[in-house]
Amino acid sequence: MTIAAPTAETRWRCTLCGNLTRFDVTRSSRVIDFLHFDLSGDSKVEETQVLAETIESVRCRWCNAVDQVELVARPGAEETTEGGPAQG
């Protein structure tokens, strides 16, 4: 089972316990890394380009439920998407 990543308008919520803040995420990524090697041979990733990424599972840190996470609207997301930018 795969689940979509949260967006600016959505966030994750555990359907069993209501957790909104703590999750363990297992994902697969296909990336291109630009590595810079110094003269001693040590390397550092200077740039990463994500070609593809799939979230394989999400586990709730509070109740340990696996794949019981849903996407819900973030607070205030309705005002910013329907009526333009939120006034603050």
Side-chain angles (χ1 to χ4, degrees):
M1 175 182 170
T2 61
I3 184 169
T7 66
E9 292 83 29
T10 61
R11 63 182 177 175
W12 285 334
R13 177 184 172 276
C14 178
T15 58
L16 295 180
C17 72
N19 170 31
L20 294 166
T21 60
R22 303 284 192 271
F23 301 96
D24 289 318
V25 180
T26 303
R27 68 176 126 206
S28 296
S29 299
R30 187 167 178 255
V31 299
I32 297 173
D33 286 336
F34 171 68
L35 299 175
H36 177 210
F37 289 85
D38 62 21
L39 295 178
S40 70
D42 292 331
S43 67
K44 180 172 95 174
V45 177
E46 290 193 350
E47 187 178 306
T48 299
Q49 178 185 3
V50 179
L51 302 175
E53 185 171 63
T54 303
I55 297 173
E56 296 176 6
S57 68
V58 179
R59 183 176 62 85
C60 176
R61 268 288 176 112
W62 287 2
C63 70
N64 212 30
V66 177
D67 294 331
Q68 295 296 316
V69 176
E70 64 182 355
L71 280 175
V72 296
R74 289 182 191 244
E78 296 81 26
E79 295 89 31
T80 58
T81 57
E82 292 176 7
Q87 301 297 316

